């Protein structure tokens, strides 16, 4: 239970009370529960998305996006902005990591953040209304499952930092659990197309992570945050494209 509460505390701003001491093993195993937290976030966003029946469609989608940022404390959005700044302003690993650690947002980070939010809004707004609830639910489940796989199969790019307890763990249960959870949730809504949706949406994320790893020899909390945002974008984009061509 401690590991689950730690995952909830780390990934959301939901008030959590953890009694007793917390050790390194609790922190590492909390990764197992990332997809479960994604389900909770997805459920909340799906409920909020029902505002589409009472408000203008785009307004409802703005509220969905804002609600996710509020639920997570804009944790991953901040990581995306820092990653944009770091990789635009640094030529070598040390300089990139130094820029990403700076709490101030730069011009490229602000531009990247603006494009990200506008793109997410436009993609969600372009979805057929019959697919909005399903997509909004799967979106955070997929992105949090991606985080688990990244943490398992990459290493930490820094010597010290908060994310070192999550990145580079060796247990195989969390990634297996994450794959089962996201495919199961996707199958509930999209049935036989679930494998195609997850596979197509994963491809750009894999390319992004590969690029990051080659540049700074691993991942950081910021780049995992960026991966989370890219995962959500690619998931919504995949559903939209498959709906446009008549598969969904």
């Amino acid at each position: 239970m401690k590991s689950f509460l730690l995952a909830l505390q780390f990934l959301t701003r939901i008030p959590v009370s953890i009694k007793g001491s917390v050790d390194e093993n609790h922190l590492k195993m909390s990764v197992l529960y990332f997809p479960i937290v994604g389900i909770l976030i997805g459920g909340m966003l799906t409920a909020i998305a029902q505002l589409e029946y009472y408000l203008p469609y785009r307004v409802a989608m703005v509220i969905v996006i804002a609600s996710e940022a509020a639920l997570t404390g804009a944790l991953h959005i901040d990581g995306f902005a820092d990653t944009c700044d770091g990789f635009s302003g640094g030529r070598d690993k040390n300089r990139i990591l130094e820029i990403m650690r700076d709490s101030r947002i730069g011009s490229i980070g602000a531009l990247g953040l603006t494009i990200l939010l506008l793109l997410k809004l436009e993609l969600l707004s372009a979805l057929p209304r019959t697919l909005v609830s399903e997509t909004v639910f799967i979106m955070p489940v997929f992105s949090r499952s991606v985080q688990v796989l990244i943490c398992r199969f990459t290493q930490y790019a820094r010597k010290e930092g908060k994310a070192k307890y999550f990145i580079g763990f060796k247990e195989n249960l969390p990634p297996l659990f994450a794959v089962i959870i996201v495919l199961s949730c996707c199958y509930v809504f999209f049935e036989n197309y679930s494998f195609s949706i997850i596979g197509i949406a994963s491809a750009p994320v894999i390319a992004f992570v590969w690029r990051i790893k080659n540049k700074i020899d691993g991942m950081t909390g910021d780049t995992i945050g960026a991966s989370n945002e890219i995962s959500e974008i690619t998931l919504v984009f995949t559903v939209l494209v498959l709906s446009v061509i008549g598969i969904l």
Side-chain angles (χ1 to χ4, degrees), residues 187-202:
Y187 187 82
V188 169
F189 299 112
F190 300 107
E191 298 182 342
N192 294 333
Y193 299 111
S194 58
F195 291 92
S196 298
I197 292 172
I198 298 303
I200 295 171
S202 297

Side-chain angles (χ1 to χ4, degrees), residues 42-214:
M44 294 179 193
L45 295 183
T46 301
I48 294 168
Q50 304 313 303
L51 289 171
E52 67 171 299
Y53 296 107
Y54 308 99
L55 298 172
Y57 191 32
R58 287 171 62 84
V59 173
M61 293 305 102
V62 170
I63 294 174
V64 167
I65 294 170
S67 297
E68 184 181 23
L71 280 169
T72 62
L75 175 67
H76 306 108
I77 294 176
D78 179 67
F80 180 85
D82 287 341
T83 300
C84 289
D85 280 333
F87 280 81
S88 65
R91 297 195 176 187
D92 57 59
K93 173 182 176 179
N94 292 333
R95 181 56 181 159
I96 291 172
L97 293 176
E98 180 184 350
I99 294 172
M100 285 197 294
R101 181 156 276 175
D102 192 334
S103 60
R104 295 168 297 181
I105 185 171
S107 57
I108 301 299
L111 176 61
L113 190 55
T114 302
I115 294 173
L116 172 76
L117 294 175
L118 285 175
L119 182 58
K120 185 178 288 189
L121 172 61
E122 291 302 318
L123 288 173
L124 286 173
S125 299
L127 283 173
R129 294 202 175 194
T130 54
L131 294 176
V132 171
S133 293
E134 294 90 335
T135 306
V136 166
F137 181 83
I138 295 297
M139 186 175 71
V141 180
F142 174 63
S143 61
R144 274 63 181 182
S145 297
V146 165
Q147 288 188 40
V148 177
L149 296 174
I150 292 174
C151 287
R152 171 61 181 85
F153 297 108
T154 63
Q155 62 185 12
Y156 194 45
R158 300 184 187 275
K159 293 182 179 179
E160 293 293 334
K162 294 179 180 179
K164 73 174 183 178
Y165 297 107
F166 303 104
I167 302 174
F169 69 88
K170 301 303 180 184
E171 291 81 4
N172 292 319
L173 178 59
L176 177 62
F177 183 66
V179 171
I180 292 173
I181 288 293
V182 71
L183 285 176
S184 298
C185 289
C186 197
Y187 187 82
V188 169
F189 299 112
F190 300 107
E191 298 182 342
N192 294 333
Y193 299 111
S194 58
F195 291 92
S196 298
I197 292 172
I198 298 303
I200 295 171
S202 297
V205 184
I206 293 171
F208 173 76
V209 173
W210 179 82
R211 169 63 176 164
I212 296 294
K213 285 176 62 180
N214 284 345

